Amino acid sequence: MKAIQVKEPYQMAVIDMEKPVIDSKNNVLVKIRAAGICGSDVGIYHGTNAAAIYPRVIGHEMVGEVVEVGENVSELKVGNRVIIDQVTNCGHCYACRKGRGNVCADLKVRGVHIDGGYREYMAVPERDCYILPDSLAYEDAVMIEPTTIAIQCCSRAKLCSEDILVILGCGALGSSILRIAKLSGARIIVADIIDDKLWEALAAGADYTINLENENFEAKVKEYTKGYGATVSIDAACTKDSLSELMAVTGNAGRVITMGFSVSPTEINQFSITSKELDIRGSRLQNKKFGEAIRLIEEGKLDLRGSISHRFPFMEAQKAFDFNDSKDPSIRKIVLTFD
Ligand code: MN
Ligand code: ZN
C-alpha cells in the first residue's frame, strides 16, 4: 500500500509500505478515506514540532471504513464509518491511572511518535474507533478531531455560562474553540490580527472582537468586562508572549489555558499569578472526547458540514503542503482524500 512519509523536515515522499494485518490487539482494519492537514502535521513537515520522530507517516485526523474485524471485536462491523483516536497510552502510569492518558508518561501519538493516517490502511484497537454520524461525509468528519481539541481545552477551563472568555487567535484552532465555547453560554471575546477572521468570529457567535494590530488588548478586554478582566482565557495563538498577555487580561480567580508548543522564553513573574490567584493550566491533545463531539453533532448542536476549504488526493500530499505553505488567504481546512 502507499503512504506519505516525512523522512526529515521538508522531505516528503510517497512510499510503499506493507499493508497492516490485524491481530488480537490491533483488531480492526480501517481503509482510510480522508485525512485532515493540521498545524501540527505542518510543524512536523517544517521541522518545528519538537515531539516528532523521523521518518514518520504523518496525519492524525483520520477517518475511514472498517474493512476487517478480528474475533475479539465486540461492537464494530465491516462497513462501519469511523474516526480513529490519535492518542495511544500505556494505561498504568500516574497520568493513565488518573484517567488522563492524553498526557501518559509514555504517550505515543499517531502521526507524531508512531505512524499516522496518511496511508491506505491502518490496523488499530477497536476502542480507538468511533462510529461517525450518518449525516457527515468523510471529508467533513475529519473536523471531529479539531473539535475534540476544543472540547478538551474548554473542559480544562471548566468553562460555564457565567464566564467571560477571551480566545486569543482565530485560526483553525481558535475557531473550533469558539464553536464549542459558544455551547457553554459564556460571553466570548475573540482577538486576532486579521479583520476577515474577526468578521467570521462575529458571524460564528463571538460577542466582541479585538484587532490587535490597532487596538490595545488589555484596555479593550477591560472595557468589555466592565474592568474586571476575562474569567477564562485560552491561547489559540501560541506565540512567544501570548501567555504573559493572557495573564494580563485575565481577572482575579480566572483560568488561563495554554495550548502552545513554543519553547521560547517569555517573561512572567510570581506576583502576576499569586495576586489574582490565577489557575494556569495546559491543555494537550484530547482525552477521550470523540464520543462527546459525535454526540453534539447527533443532537444537532454542532454542524461540521462545509468546513473544508480545499481537497487534494492523498497521493498529491506534497502539492497540498506546498499550497498550505503559500498561506493563501482562502485556506481554512485542507483535507486529503483517498479513493
Ligand atoms: Mn489536529
Ligand atoms: Zn501512561
Side-chain angles (χ1 to χ4, degrees):
M1 70 171 187
K2 301 291 185 194
I4 305 297
Q5 188 185 61
V6 178
K7 294 186 182 300
E8 53 186 279
Y10 288 101
Q11 297 283 321
M12 181 179 286
V14 178
I15 60 162
D16 278 304
M17 210 181 174
E18 215 157 310
K19 182 177 167 184
V21 286
I22 55 173
D23 54 28
S24 61
K25 179 171 173 262
N26 294 306
N27 53 5
V28 175
L29 188 68
V30 179
K31 183 179 184 343
I32 301 300
R33 299 296 296 271
I37 297 181
C38 177
S40 64
D41 299 310
V42 176
I44 297 171
Y45 176 59
H46 288 168
T48 55
N49 184 326
I53 302 163
Y54 301 88
R56 179 63 55 229
V57 173
I58 60 173
H60 62 272
E61 301 176 353
M62 54 242 164
V63 298
E65 182 182 342
V66 174
V67 290
E68 196 183 340
V69 293
E71 278 171 12
N72 59 344
V73 166
S74 54
E75 305 282 332
L76 284 181
K77 293 182 176 56
V78 169
N80 281 155
R81 305 159 71 249
V82 296
I83 186 161
I84 299 170
D85 195 330
Q86 80 275 46
V87 173
T88 74
N89 58 288
C90 80
H92 44 75
C93 71
Y94 174 81
C96 285
R97 288 199 313 276
K98 289 282 176 186
R100 293 173 60 181
N102 58 316
V103 286
C104 169
D106 192 25
L107 178 70
K108 298 222 170 14
V109 179
R110 295 189 169 100
V112 181
H113 311 97
I114 56 176
D115 283 342
Y118 292 177
R119 52 176 155 157
E120 290 178 275
Y121 293 91
M122 291 179 80
V124 295
E126 180 183 25
R127 64 163 186 275
D128 291 348
C129 298
Y130 296 82
I131 295 179
L132 298 174
D134 293 332
S135 61
L136 212 52
Y138 280 119
E139 58 177 52
D140 292 322
V142 304
M143 291 302 295
I144 294 173
E145 191 275 345
T147 302
T148 64
I149 305 302
I151 293 172
Q152 177 74 14
C153 73
C154 291
S155 96
R156 292 284 292 152
K158 299 205 182 312
L159 189 68
C160 66
S161 62
E162 63 189 337
D163 282 315
I164 304 178
L165 166 68
V166 166
I167 301 171
L168 177 58
C170 199
L173 179 60
S175 53
S176 282
I177 294 167
L178 172 58
R179 282 178 168 201
I180 294 302
K182 238 351 241 176
L183 300 173
S184 70
R187 273 190 296 145
I188 302 171
I189 303 167
V190 174
D192 201 293
I193 53 173
I194 297 172
D195 272 328
D196 279 353
K197 293 189 174 172
L198 295 173
W199 286 116
E200 284 172 25
L202 280 176
D207 297 282
Y208 309 99
T209 58
I210 301 171
N211 188 328
L212 300 170
E213 285 286 17
N214 47 45
E215 293 179 299
N216 182 286
F217 194 17
E218 216 178 318
K220 277 292 175 188
V221 172
K222 283 254 156 74
E223 180 187 325
Y224 296 143
T225 60
K226 298 197 172 75
Y228 191 86
T231 62
V232 173
S233 58
I234 298 177
D235 184 6
C238 310
T239 60
K240 177 179 168 299
D241 291 318
S242 48
L243 171 60
S244 51
E245 288 163 12
L246 288 183
M247 286 166 55
V249 303
T250 305
N252 292 17
R255 286 90 75 202
V256 179
I257 307 297
T258 74
M259 303 184 78
F261 277 66
S262 170
V263 291
S264 308
T266 183
E267 205 159 282
I268 60 171
N269 60 63
Q270 288 206 22
F271 186 70
S272 59
I273 302 172
T274 312
S275 61
K276 299 179 184 174
E277 209 170 57
L278 293 177
D279 285 344
I280 297 179
R281 304 184 128 206
S283 182
R284 184 171 188 189
L285 300 159
Q286 52 78 33
N287 186 14
K288 303 258 174 281
K289 301 297 189 194
F290 284 92
E292 193 172 335
I294 289 167
R295 209 173 317 121
L296 290 172
I297 296 164
E298 286 173 338
E299 289 171 355
K301 292 178 180 159
L302 183 68
D303 188 356
L304 298 179
R305 289 175 298 180
S307 314
I308 303 302
S309 58
H310 299 84
R311 298 153 187 83
F312 289 83
F314 108 104
M315 294 290 279
E316 293 174 21
Q318 179 72 64
K319 237 192 223 174
F321 276 72
D322 289 345
F323 177 64
N324 184 68
D325 281 348
S326 78
K327 301 236 183 297
D328 188 291
S330 66
I331 296 173
R332 291 296 176 274
K333 186 70 177 182
I334 305 174
V335 71
L336 302 178
T337 57
F338 298 64
D339 293 327

